[in-house]
Amino acid sequence: RQLNHELEAQKNAALFAASEIERYAEQVEQGSKYKSQFLTNMSHELRTPLNSMMILSQILSENKNGNLSEEEQNYASVIHKSGTELLNLINDILDLSKVEAGKLQIEMDMVNVTELPEMVVNQFGKQAEEKNLQLSVHIEPDVPDAFCSDGLRLHQILRNLLSNAIKFTESGGVALSIAMLEETAAEGSMPQGRMIAFKVTDTGIGIAEENLAPVFEAFRQGDESTARKYGGTGLGLTISLQLARMLGGHLEAQSKVGEGSTFTLLLPARPPALLDQQMFSQPE
Ligand code: ADP
């Protein structure tokens, strides 16, 4: 009887612990819902006033009436530039909170690979020229002209990688090369069949071995002195890695301090015909 009593007591204790864990899990889930709702609302509330600031400072910086002195015109440009940085930060935080909450939608589309060189030159040509850097894009002949993926998200990842490459390079150049990879699996994922490799290579400051994995973590930057010198938020690579995974691929880096870095984005080379059959969204 004593034994039965003890068993009963232990069973009750276990049941109590299980219900406590369940209650705690519910609270955590609720908390995370509030957090993502809060971030979404906050981002919206911040974006609206910021948009008017940006439009008006843009108008001022153009000085169409000729009423402003050169100094005042420069102030307006600085306001506009700072506003753009703030907007990028807000968009990054919003993206990350969506990824964390499982709410980011991937929209599969036909991505035209042949348009990428123009996109790169249009968006980064001026920046590269200002720093006297060579900017090149090379597409191997066996890469299909189009494949099935989320074009906007692919552009977002490439923009992150290219802007980092230019930011952290003082001389030499930045190159995007696109090639087929015959390997069957991206590291850490299921076999995917043929993959397309988008490699962004620079001749910049490089990343020390011990910092290579941490730079993919949220808010983590290389070392403190570079963080202070170059600014930034440490969110770009975290978001890019998450997006790459959601697209069925992977993002990895190789680097040598003082020589440069290569970031490789691997994406499945899904034929465009798959487009009608599948819509992808983040698993719950
Ligand atoms: P941010 O650039 O806003 O700091 P990222 O997540 O894009 O955030 O990058 C994190 C860190 O990784 C950077 O602060 C930098 O230290 C390092 N990093 C990223 N790309 C490069 C690169 N091409 N060359 C050298 N360091 C890089």
Side-chain angles (χ1 to χ4, degrees):
R1 186 180 293 180
Q2 172 94 20
L3 195 64
N4 268 349
H5 200 71
E6 254 173 43
L7 277 177
E8 187 67 18
Q10 278 187 8
K11 194 176 122 199
N12 284 342
L15 282 175
F16 178 71
S19 77
E20 281 295 286
I21 290 172
E22 208 171 295
R23 201 168 60 87
Y24 182 64
E26 269 168 26
Q27 277 177 359
V28 170
E29 195 178 318
Q30 191 67 15
S32 124
K33 267 189 199 149
Y34 283 141
K35 184 184 129 202
S36 88
Q37 189 62 44
F38 168 75
L39 284 171
T40 311
N41 292 347
M42 186 193 73
S43 305
H44 180 74
E45 296 301 322
L46 287 174
R47 249 193 294 199
T48 315
L50 198 55
N51 276 335
S52 20
M53 258 174 63
M54 294 192 41
I55 294 168
L56 296 176
S57 58
Q58 167 90 44
I59 295 173
L60 281 178
S61 70
E62 285 166 7
N63 195 18
K64 287 208 173 113
N65 303 333
N67 292 338
L68 300 181
S69 69
E70 201 176 316
E71 200 181 3
E72 287 165 332
Q73 210 178 332
N74 281 342
Y75 289 160
S77 303
V78 173
I79 297 175
H80 190 260
K81 194 164 162 257
S82 307
T84 311
E85 281 168 18
L86 198 53
L87 197 63
N88 289 339
L89 172 62
I90 293 169
N91 287 337
D92 276 357
I93 293 178
L94 194 61
D95 268 352
L96 197 62
S97 73
K98 274 196 203 149
V99 170
E100 282 178 353
K103 291 224 175 94
L104 194 107
Q105 287 285 330
I106 289 293
E107 289 183 24
M108 286 300 189
D109 202 354
M110 200 181 77
V111 178
N112 197 333
V113 179
T114 56
E115 281 173 359
L116 287 176
E118 201 184 326
M119 178 290 266
V120 173
V121 172
N122 282 345
Q123 297 204 7
F124 295 98
K126 200 164 151 233
Q127 251 171 286
E129 209 179 297
E130 277 167 8
K131 289 185 86 175
N132 249 329
L133 300 176
Q134 291 251 8
L135 180 66
S136 67
V137 184
H138 175 76
I139 306 178
E140 289 286 324
D142 60 341
V143 175
D145 284 350
F147 72 113
C148 173
S149 193
D150 184 327
L152 288 180
R153 297 297 174 186
L154 166 65
H155 282 201
Q156 185 177 354
I157 302 172
L158 291 178
R159 271 202 310 274
N160 268 334
L161 298 181
L162 287 161
S163 70
N164 275 345
I166 293 178
K167 177 164 136 186
F168 295 107
T169 303
E170 301 306 335
S171 65
V174 169
L176 168 65
S177 69
I178 308 173
M180 293 310 292
L181 192 90
E182 290 298 339
E183 271 175 37
T184 47
E187 194 189 312
S189 66
M190 297 295 287
Q192 300 271 4
R194 297 185 87 204
M195 307 286 280
I196 307 184
F198 300 81
K199 261 183 210 283
V200 176
T201 305
D202 67 56
T203 53
I205 60 170
I207 303 169
E209 173 85 46
E210 67 270 22
N211 291 329
L212 215 47
V215 293
F216 288 100
E217 290 167 21
F219 298 108
R220 288 290 293 267
Q221 297 182 298
D223 60 65
E224 274 190 19
S225 60
T226 43
R228 236 171 293 130
K229 179 170 173 203
Y230 293 96
T233 61
L235 287 179
L237 287 178
T238 314
I239 295 170
S240 300
L241 173 62
Q242 300 287 356
L243 291 176
R245 287 183 179 156
M246 288 182 64
L247 294 173
H250 195 63
L251 177 62
E252 52 202 29
Q254 280 153 351
S255 190
K256 255 208 165 131
V257 171
E259 288 184 19
S261 312
T262 297
F263 285 81
T264 307
L265 166 68
L266 297 171
L267 291 185
R270 296 190 181 104
L274 278 184
L275 200 55
D276 302 332
Q277 300 162 21
Q278 288 163 306
M279 281 306 286
F280 295 80
S281 67
Q282 203 179 344
E284 283 289 312

